[in-house]
Structure formats: C-alpha cells, structure tokens
Amino acid sequence: MRPVELAFQLIELLSLHQPVGVSELARLAGIPKSTVQRSLMALHKTGWIELADADRPVWSLSMRALVASGRANYEHSVLRGIAIPVMEELRRESEETVHLTYRFERSLVLLERLDGIKPVRYFFPYGAVSPLHATSSGRAILSMMPQDELDAYLSQPLDAVTSLTVVDPEIVRSELAEARERGYAVTFGGNRSDVHAVGAAIVDRHAQPFAAISISAPAERLDASLAERYGPLVADAARRVTLGVTSQPHFH
C-alpha cells in the first residue's frame, strides 16, 4: 500500500474509533504496527492528528482534519465563532469542561471543547461521535425535536453506551419531557459511566435543534444539586448562541 493510501485509511479509521492506539489501528488496518507507527508520525508532524491523552499513547483527529473533511463547513465555522466567547464565560463560572456539539443524523459530534481548569477532568477528542440519547446535549436536542422526528428516533433500538445509559424508550420519552420543560437535560453516566453532564439545545431560525452546549465533569464533582445550579446557566448560554446564529443572514 502506498503511503498516501495508508494515510487516508488511518484517518478514516481514526474518525470511527478515536481515541485509538497504534496496536489497535494496526489490527483494524491489517498491516504491521511499525508501518502504522511511521504513518502516524507523518500525520502528526503535518498536523492531521494529535495525541488524545497525556497519560497514554492514543490518537485522535485534529481540528485541521475536521476542517478538511468538511465537518467544519461555513455554518459550523459561524457557530464556533459565536459560541466560543459564550463557552468561555460558562467555563469561568463553572471551572469545568464545556463542549459544543452538533447533530448528525442519530448522533452527536464534538465540534469544540474548552477544557476545565480544575485538576481532574475528562477528555473527549474533536470529532467524537455519541448517540443522541446517551448524552445531555443529545437529549436536549431530542427534547426539542418535532414529535414525529422524536417518535422515529425512539422507534429504533437505543444502544447502551454504558451500564447507566437509559435505553427504555418510554423512560427516555418521559425524561425528555422534563428536559423540555426546564430548558436543559442532565445525564449521569450515560455516555461515560464516570462523567455527569448538563446540556441545552441551540436551535435555528425555524426552532429546529441542531447543536448544543454542555458542561461535563467527573461524577463525584457534579451531583444532582450542582446540575440544578448549572442547568439555567447552560440554558442561557444556548439561548445566547441561538440568538447569535439566527441573526446571521446566510445561516439556516
């Protein structure tokens, strides 16, 4: 396999399995570990991938790769530009990690991340994909969906990402109704068992949810009472971003 072909294959595998190590990539690609290692070093040197964890050698796509792949199109660029100052305020108030995500079919994709300033925090790589029902941001989006879209989503099997992911469609429906009423959604270990999160949806000019903002923190630090305090802050942040994007003339 030529180096360019291998590089594209590894980028595709990274997009599906990130964060992932050299051994696993070699197994998935069916090629020697040493060959994969050389290609990864070249991709890292040119800025297409980055180390996803300071404590272990696993890789993820960089923002440069996401831009080149078309994930960060015009609307995503506008969204990021409007959201980042709001996210910075939210991080200052909470001192926790703040995520900006957008919907892609039945999933949520991480577009931007501002890491928290507290010593223990969790890392989700750019481009990370999660089921909507497993995350606070995804649930916030689901709670704002038209009824027919929500019915269609819940009519299909809901994957359990962790042992704490709620997959009973009727329970999910009930919890989404509560989220819609209060303006934000909460998950306790749904996408990662040791992470709790609070998220709120960003909607377009037609009131359709397409993105979300969330605060994520270790489970021992973000309990139910703190989630209630963060909820209105996240909901207000999402409202401000919504006002910003809907004021753009070429934004859907």
Side-chain angles (χ1 to χ4, degrees):
M1 182 181 296
R2 292 182 298 177
V4 173
E5 293 173 337
L6 174 58
F8 279 117
Q9 182 182 7
L10 292 178
I11 287 174
E12 183 175 7
L13 288 172
L14 278 163
S15 72
L16 295 172
H17 301 282
Q18 62 183 329
V20 62
V22 177
S23 297
E24 179 64 8
L25 279 172
R27 185 189 68 80
L28 291 168
I31 55 180
K33 182 178 175 180
S34 58
T35 304
V36 171
Q37 180 70 25
R38 286 194 297 272
S39 185
L40 288 176
M41 290 301 100
L43 288 169
H44 179 54
K45 183 178 180 180
T46 51
W48 292 99
I49 65 174
E50 61 188 16
L51 280 170
D53 193 322
D55 298 323
R56 56 195 182 102
V58 290
W59 297 91
S60 65
L61 297 179
S62 66
M63 180 53 70
R64 178 181 182 182
L66 297 181
V67 171
S69 71
R71 284 198 177 115
N73 58 23
Y74 165 75
E75 291 191 350
H76 294 158
S77 298
V78 171
L79 174 61
R80 286 182 67 251
I82 293 170
I84 286 176
V86 178
M87 294 169 67
E88 288 174 340
E89 290 184 28
L90 202 55
R91 178 174 60 175
R92 281 197 299 271
E93 292 184 75
S94 67
E95 299 186 341
E96 301 290 3
T97 298
V98 180
H99 292 118
L100 174 67
T101 50
Y102 67 94
R103 179 190 175 191
F104 179 71
E105 298 178 350
R106 292 176 58 85
S107 300
L108 203 66
V109 181
L110 178 59
L111 181 62
E112 186 56 76
R113 181 192 72 241
L114 299 184
D115 292 332
I117 62 176
K118 292 184 177 179
V120 178
R121 56 185 184 269
Y122 291 98
F123 183 92
F124 291 95
Y126 290 111
V129 179
S130 305
L132 289 173
H133 62 275
T135 69
S136 64
S137 290
R139 280 173 163 249
I141 289 173
L142 287 169
S143 74
M144 299 294 289
M145 276 185 183
Q147 191 62 48
D148 58 339
E149 284 190 47
L150 178 59
D151 290 343
Y153 185 93
L154 295 178
S155 69
Q156 299 185 40
L158 305 180
D159 295 332
V161 180
T162 75
S163 61
L164 300 175
T165 309
V166 179
V167 295
D168 184 312
E170 293 311 311
I171 295 177
V172 172
R173 190 185 296 275
S174 175
E175 292 177 349
L176 292 178
E178 294 176 4
R180 184 182 182 94
E181 183 175 350
R182 66 181 175 233
Y184 63 89
V186 179
T187 50
F188 298 114
N191 192 43
R192 180 167 168 169
S193 59
D194 52 357
V195 174
H196 293 176
V198 183
I202 299 165
V203 301
D204 62 21
R205 64 180 73 252
H206 306 293
Q208 297 297 307
F210 70 97
I213 283 182
S214 68
I215 292 175
S216 298
E220 65 270 15
R221 204 156 64 213
L222 180 50
D223 57 15
S225 62
L226 193 55
E228 287 186 7
R229 184 166 78 83
Y230 285 162
L233 298 177
V234 176
D236 182 65
R239 180 189 61 80
R240 290 163 61 195
V241 176
T242 292
L243 289 174
V245 296
T246 55
S247 68
Q248 301 298 307
H250 301 297
F251 202 95
H252 74 268

